[in-house]
Amino acid sequence: MHSEEEPVLIMAFRGPHANSVWQEITGPSDPQLARRTDPASINALYHHSQDEPLLYSPRLASLVHLGLCLWFGGRIAKNTQSMIEGSEEDRSRILTSAPGTLCATVKADIFLLVSPVVGPHCYSYILSACAKAGFSLLGLQRAQISRKQAQTLGLTTKQVTSFCHAPTVLLVGEQVELSSHCLVLLMRRESAVTHCSRLQIGCMNELAAQGLIGSIRARFTDVVSPHVCFHTVPYSKSHHNVLDGLMWTMPECSHMVLSKHAYPSCPDVEQVVILTLTGQNIMKSEMDFLHTVLRGDAAGRDGFELLALKWEPKLSKQQAQELSPFEIGGREWQSSVQSLTSTPALVLALRRVRAFITLRRLLPQNYPGDLHVLMSPTPETAFRQTCLFFSEAELVPDHSSRPSLKFLPLHHIDTPGLRSQSLYSYMTVGPEPLLTLALFKPGAWRHCFGKILTIIKQNGYTLVGLRVLLLDSNMANALMHPSEQQELELKYLRSGPSLALGLLRVNAIMRLLELMGPEDPVEARTIDQTLWRAQYGFDRLHNGIYGSPSYRKAVEDIKLVFPEGVCCTESSVMRHEKISCLRSDPDASLDREQLNTAVKNTFSSGFGQVGPLVCSALYQTTCLLIPSNLLQQSQPPLYSELLQRLLRTGCHLVAGKLCTADEKQRQHISELLRPSVGGALLPEGPCLIIALQADNAVTCFDVILERVCRERPDFRRVTMKLLYPNSECGAVKLLRYLFEDQSRVLTA
C-alpha cells in the first residue's frame, strides 16, 4: 500500500458519456481479465499486482459524483479512501453540503430574454443555437417588459430601447408598430452562467448564418448587436415573478361551449392551426421542420405567423388525448396517449391563409408516424387545442411574419374585425370581408361582361359596386401601375369605356390577384391563358385587368371610383376607412328625366358619338334592371349567363351601374315601369342597372328574351323577375332619370 505522504494524481474528465468512454479505455477492473483481454493497453497499469492498485476509477455514477464532491468541491478530506468506502451516513453528509463551490457538476438555470426586434420567424434558429450550446429547455413564454421590470432584470439603458418598446417597421408604405413582447426561455446546463456570453454570440452567429440579420435591422433602426438582441439573467424566484411566472400555466377552458361556434373553414381566409412537436430531443431533431414552418420553404411558400408557443415538460392525460391523431378508443389511440404523456412537447399556434393545406404538405410522409410532429386536422380541433393550451393574453400577432401582410389593413395590430373581436371569436366567426377594385380596361370586357360576373360569383365575391366609365387623366394616373410605358398605358386607359367592379369578400385582395394570374404578359400567356380559356371560355391577359395590389391601395381605389359609396352593409373596416354605404341612388334626377322627349331616339343619339353600331333606323336603347332578389341568388348565377346570351344576340352594353334606391326612388322607378310590371314595386336592396342597344331593343325586347329562353328554358325563372320599359318614351325617361352624365357613355 502507498503511504499517505506519497503524492496522488487525481483527474476529472467531462464529455458526452464520459464515464462509459473512460471505462472502455481503462478496461475491466479485474487484473486477470484485463491481462487476457488487452495485455498491451493501459490495463497493464490498472493493477500492477493484486496487492498494489495503481489506478482507481469508480464505475457507478453515484460514486463518480461523490468523488467529484470530495476532490473538486473545495473540501479535501484527510482520509478520503476510508470515506469513499465508509457508511452511507458519511457519504450523505458530504453530498448534502452546499454545492456552490463545485466547478464540474453544478447545473444552473438561466433566463434568456430575446428582444422584440428579433422576429418570431427567428425563434426556431434561437432554439437550435441554444441546443448546440448544450442548454436544455425547461420552459418558455412571451412577456412585455416594463422599464421597472427592466431595471430589476439588469437591463442597461441601451437595452431598454430594444427590449421595452415595440419595434416600428415600414411595411407597404406605412410605419407599423409591431409586437413589443419578448421571448423568454428558461434553460439549464452545467456552468450555465459561465456560458451566458458565448450563448448570446452563438445565437447571433446562427441568425447571421441564416441571413436573418437584415430582418432584424428592418425592425430596429439602431446598431444591431448581441447585447441589443439578447440578455441573460440567472434564475431566481424573484426574477421568475418579475417575468409573470406563467410558463406552465394552463387556461381554464371549461366555460367554452364548442357546439355554438361555426368554425369558418374556407382555405382562402386566414386560419389558425396548432402544431405540436414532441420527443426528448425536440430542440435538435425537429428544428429543421420548424425552420421551414416559420420561415417558408425552398419552393417559395411563405412561412406561418406565430401567434403563441408553449413548452410542456410533460403532457397531461387530457392534453395527450386531445393531441392524439388516432380515433378515440382504438388501440393506436391508447398507445399514443401513453406515449405522449411521457414526453415533453412544444406547442405552437400558427396562422396563415390556407393554413391546414399548407401544413399538411410540409408534414413527414409517414405522418403521424412516431408522433414527433402533430397538427390539428380541422378548425374545430384547432379551436379546442387553442383553448386548452393558450389564454387570450398569450396569443400575440406579429405583422412582419405574415405572408399576406400587404393584403391586410395595417391600422391595427391585427386583422380586420379583431378590434372588436377576441382571437377566439376570430377563429369561430372568421375575419371581416375586405373591399377591392377590379378594373377591366377598354376592349377587355364588352364581349364577356356576363362571364366576368359569373367568375366573380363563383369565387365567392359579392358585387358591391359597378360602373361603366371613361377614365380621365387624373383617375387613370391614380390607377396606373408604375412602368416605363406610362404614356402608352395612359393613352390605352383613356381610349374607351372601362368596367369598374367593387368586390367584397374575405381575403379579397390576394384572391383577386391570384385570379388575375402572373403579372408578366409572356408568363400569363404560357401558364395561365389555357386555364382561363378552358374554364371561362374567353382569353384573359393580365394587361387587360387592374386589381388593387394591397389593402391600402384597395381603399384608395374604392374611394376614387365609388366616391358616393358602395352597396353593402357597413362593416367596422369600412367605418374606420370612412367608406360610405349607399342608402339611395345619387345619380337619380327628376329634372333630367323631364327634358324634352318628343324627338324619337333623342336619348340614343345623346349617348356620346353615334358609331358604326347604329346600323338601322330601328336601333334603340333600353334600360334593364336586375333586382336584388336575382343578384343574391346562389350559384349558378343565371342572370349573368342570360346577360352573356343577350350580348351574343346583337345587344351592346353602353352603360351600367350598381345602386341602392331609397323608397321614393323605387316608387318612382316602379311608376315609370308600371305598364310593363303591372304596378309591382322594385324590391329593396342593390339593383344592377344596364343600358343595352340593339335593333328594336325596346319594342321587341320580349321577343329577344323569348328567343333566348327557347335555347335555355331555365332562363325563364330569371326573365320573370327582370324589369325593363316597354315603350321608347318610357325607356328614354328611365335612362335620363337613372344616368347622370349621358355624354360620357359610349354607344360601343
Side-chain angles (χ1 to χ4, degrees):
M1 294 290 293
H2 293 283
S3 65
E4 294 183 0
E5 287 77 11
E6 292 183 21
V8 177
L9 175 62
I10 303 172
M11 298 182 293
F13 301 97
R14 180 169 58 182
H17 311 291
N19 193 27
S20 58
V21 172
W22 176 249
Q23 297 300 336
E24 290 178 1
I25 295 174
T26 59
S29 58
D30 183 6
Q32 298 295 332
L33 182 58
R35 280 193 283 269
R36 289 181 180 179
T37 56
D38 197 3
S41 69
I42 193 173
N43 296 294
L45 299 176
Y46 200 104
H47 282 86
H48 184 70
S49 68
Q50 293 186 358
D51 299 329
E52 297 185 19
L54 299 180
L55 179 66
Y56 171 76
S57 180
R59 291 180 173 272
L60 297 177
S62 59
L63 293 178
V64 172
H65 184 70
L66 176 62
L68 290 170
C69 291
L70 291 171
W71 296 109
F72 299 98
R75 300 175 297 280
I76 303 297
K78 292 184 178 180
N79 191 358
T80 303
Q81 186 69 22
S82 63
M83 296 189 76
I84 293 177
E85 299 174 353
S87 64
E88 291 293 334
E89 183 179 353
D90 296 332
R91 296 180 187 176
S92 62
R93 179 171 54 82
I94 298 173
L95 294 178
T96 53
S97 302
T101 55
L102 295 181
C103 62
T105 61
V106 170
K107 291 185 177 181
D109 299 338
I110 64 164
F111 287 111
L112 173 65
L113 278 62
V114 182
S115 167
V117 303
V118 181
H121 63 288
C122 302
Y123 287 176
S124 59
Y125 295 102
I126 294 170
L127 292 173
S128 180
C130 292
K132 292 177 182 178
F135 285 86
S136 59
L137 184 63
L138 301 180
L140 53 77
Q141 69 179 80
R142 285 200 279 185
Q144 287 181 303
I145 299 176
S146 65
R147 289 181 175 271
K148 184 177 181 180
Q149 291 172 321
Q151 185 177 4
T152 304
L153 295 171
L155 291 168
T156 64
T157 304
K158 176 68 175 179
Q159 287 178 307
V160 168
T161 305
S162 61
F163 281 82
C164 301
H165 299 284
T168 303
V169 298
L170 184 66
L171 295 172
V172 199
E174 293 189 48
Q175 289 289 335
V176 181
E177 187 177 273
L178 303 179
S179 168
S180 60
H181 285 69
C182 297
L183 176 66
V184 182
L185 298 93
L186 177 59
M187 299 184 295
R188 173 179 295 171
R189 71 154 290 171
E190 293 179 359
S191 306
V193 178
T194 306
H195 294 84
C196 283
S197 59
R198 286 196 297 174
L199 175 62
Q200 298 178 36
I201 297 173
C203 291
M204 205 69 183
N205 290 339
E206 181 72 17
L207 297 180
Q210 301 299 330
L212 294 170
I213 299 299
S215 67
I216 298 176
R217 289 197 182 100
R219 298 165 66 99
F220 189 67
T221 56
D222 212 332
V223 179
V224 175
S225 65
H227 183 69
V228 166
C229 298
F230 306 101
H231 180 69
T232 55
V233 183
Y235 174 83
S236 68
K237 191 172 182 179
S238 61
H239 288 157
H240 191 238
N241 293 334
V242 166
L243 295 169
D244 296 332
L246 301 176
M247 288 189 174
W248 306 283
T249 303
M250 289 291 112
E252 173 58 46
C253 58
S254 59
H255 63 283
M256 291 289 179
V257 182
L258 304 180
S259 60
K260 292 184 178 180
H261 301 297
Y263 308 104
S265 57
C266 176
D268 290 333
V269 305
E270 287 194 322
Q271 301 172 315
V272 177
V273 63
I274 299 298
L275 172 67
T276 306
L277 306 178
T278 67
Q280 298 296 336
N281 297 314
I282 299 174
M283 293 178 67
K284 295 181 180 179
S285 60
E286 305 303 334
M287 284 302 103
D288 289 340
F289 178 77
L290 189 55
H291 297 336
T292 303
V293 169
L294 294 181
R295 195 178 179 189
D297 58 13
R301 283 186 285 264
D302 294 313
F304 286 75
E305 175 196 11
L306 179 65
L307 292 177
L309 72 170
K310 180 165 289 185
W311 173 265
E312 285 298 312
K314 188 177 180 181
L315 292 171
S316 67
K317 186 175 181 180
Q318 180 187 8
Q319 293 168 341
Q321 289 174 343
E322 183 60 50
L323 293 175
S324 174
F326 301 108
E327 185 177 353
I328 296 176
R331 181 177 300 177
E332 289 182 321
W333 179 80
Q334 293 176 354
S335 61
S336 65
V337 170
Q338 184 177 0
S339 175
L340 290 172
T341 53
S342 61
T343 183
L346 177 62
V347 186
L348 305 101
L350 307 169
R351 178 167 63 176
R352 65 159 289 160
V353 174
R354 302 185 183 94
F356 292 91
I357 296 174
T358 305
L359 190 55
R360 285 192 190 100
R361 290 173 181 166
L362 300 177
L363 292 174
Q365 292 183 353
N366 64 338
Y367 180 83
D370 51 14
L371 302 176
H372 285 177
V373 178
L374 301 172
M375 69 166 283
S376 50
T378 64
E380 293 86 352
T381 308
F383 179 73
R384 290 200 307 269
Q385 293 180 359
T386 303
C387 296
L388 185 63
F389 285 100
F390 304 107
S391 65
E392 187 72 24
E394 292 177 289
L395 299 169
V396 182
D398 186 272
H399 275 306
S400 65
S401 59
R402 175 171 298 171
S404 57
L405 173 66
K406 70 175 182 176
F407 310 113
L408 297 172
L410 303 181
H411 55 264
H412 191 267
I413 195 171
D414 206 19
T415 53
L418 285 189
R419 295 182 299 280
S420 57
Q421 285 179 290
S422 69
L423 187 52
Y424 287 144
S425 298
Y426 172 89
M427 293 174 64
T428 55
V429 178
E432 289 190 15
L434 301 178
L435 287 166
T436 190
L437 176 74
L439 182 79
F440 293 81
K441 302 176 185 179
W445 62 274
R446 283 203 166 186
H447 64 290
C448 54
F449 175 73
K451 287 189 175 294
I452 290 173
L453 297 181
T454 299
I455 296 170
I456 295 303
K457 185 72 173 180
Q458 288 176 342
N459 284 275
Y461 283 97
T462 299
L463 185 66
V464 296
L466 185 148
R467 284 186 66 188
V468 176
L469 72 166
L470 285 172
L471 298 176
D472 57 27
S473 298
N474 293 333
M475 188 175 292
N477 278 320
L479 295 173
M480 188 169 50
H481 286 299
S483 64
E484 297 179 355
Q485 299 178 339
Q486 288 191 2
E487 291 299 326
L488 293 176
E489 179 74 5
L490 181 60
K491 185 177 180 181
Y492 169 43
L493 287 176
R494 299 178 60 192
S495 64
S498 297
L499 173 67
L501 302 179
L503 305 176
L504 179 73
R505 63 159 278 175
V506 292
N507 204 30
I509 300 106
M510 185 171 71
R511 181 56 181 160
L512 178 61
L513 296 181
E514 290 176 348
L515 284 174
M516 290 168 56
E519 194 164 349
D520 178 58
V522 176
E523 187 180 0
R525 278 191 290 266
T526 57
I527 297 176
D528 199 52
Q529 186 71 285
T530 304
L531 175 65
W532 274 70
R533 186 185 293 115
Q535 290 188 355
Y536 308 127
F538 67 95
D539 293 343
R540 179 212 60 92
L541 293 178
H542 189 284
N543 288 343
I545 309 174
Y546 165 84
S548 302
S550 68
Y551 170 80
R552 181 52 52 201
K553 191 66 170 65
V555 172
E556 296 173 359
D557 292 344
I558 291 293
K559 288 182 176 180
L560 176 68
V561 178
F562 303 101
E564 295 87 2
V566 292
C567 303
C568 64
T569 305
E570 185 183 53
S571 65
S572 61
V573 173
M574 294 172 58
R575 187 162 49 251
H576 177 88
E577 300 293 355
K578 298 180 180 179
I579 298 175
S580 303
C581 291
L582 285 177
R583 307 299 181 189
S584 63
D585 186 353
D587 295 335
S589 170
L590 288 172
D591 295 336
R592 201 171 51 243
E593 176 204 331
Q594 295 169 359
L595 293 174
N596 181 27
T597 60
V599 181
K600 184 179 180 180
N601 277 344
T602 300
F603 180 78
S604 298
S605 61
F607 261 117
Q609 299 298 321
V610 179
L613 290 176
V614 179
C615 54
S616 72
L618 297 177
Y619 210 73
Q620 299 172 334
T621 304
T622 190
C623 186
L624 183 63
L625 285 75
I626 304 175
S628 58
N629 53 0
L630 278 179
L631 295 178
Q632 296 170 1
Q633 282 185 351
S634 59
Q635 296 184 16
L638 290 180
Y639 75 89
S640 60
E641 295 186 33
L642 175 62
L643 287 176
Q644 189 63 26
R645 290 295 181 100
L646 289 174
L647 295 177
R648 289 180 183 175
T649 62
C651 294
H652 302 280
L653 192 152
V654 296
K657 67 176 181 178
L658 186 74
C659 68
T660 301
D662 59 29
E663 185 176 356
K664 289 184 178 180
Q665 291 170 339
R666 289 188 289 111
Q667 182 68 39
H668 184 69
I669 293 172
S670 299
E671 290 176 359
L672 293 175
L673 293 171
R674 181 159 295 169
S676 58
V677 300
L681 188 66
L682 180 69
E684 291 186 43
C687 179
L688 177 59
I689 305 173
I690 59 175
L692 293 174
Q693 284 185 345
D695 285 342
N696 299 306
V698 178
T699 55
C700 296
F701 197 68
D702 289 328
V703 177
I704 296 173
L705 290 178
E706 180 62 28
R707 189 186 312 133
V708 173
C709 289
R710 281 199 297 268
E711 300 175 4
R712 287 281 302 274
D714 55 333
F715 283 163
R716 294 189 186 278
R717 56 180 177 174
V718 177
T719 58
M720 293 174 60
K721 298 179 180 179
L722 294 178
L723 304 176
Y724 50 89
N726 60 1
S727 68
E728 291 185 70
C729 180
V732 171
K733 285 185 176 182
L734 188 60
L735 287 165
R736 285 179 172 170
Y737 176 71
L738 292 173
F739 291 98
E740 177 183 11
D741 192 358
Q742 301 168 18
S743 64
R744 294 180 63 83
V745 184
L746 300 185
T747 56

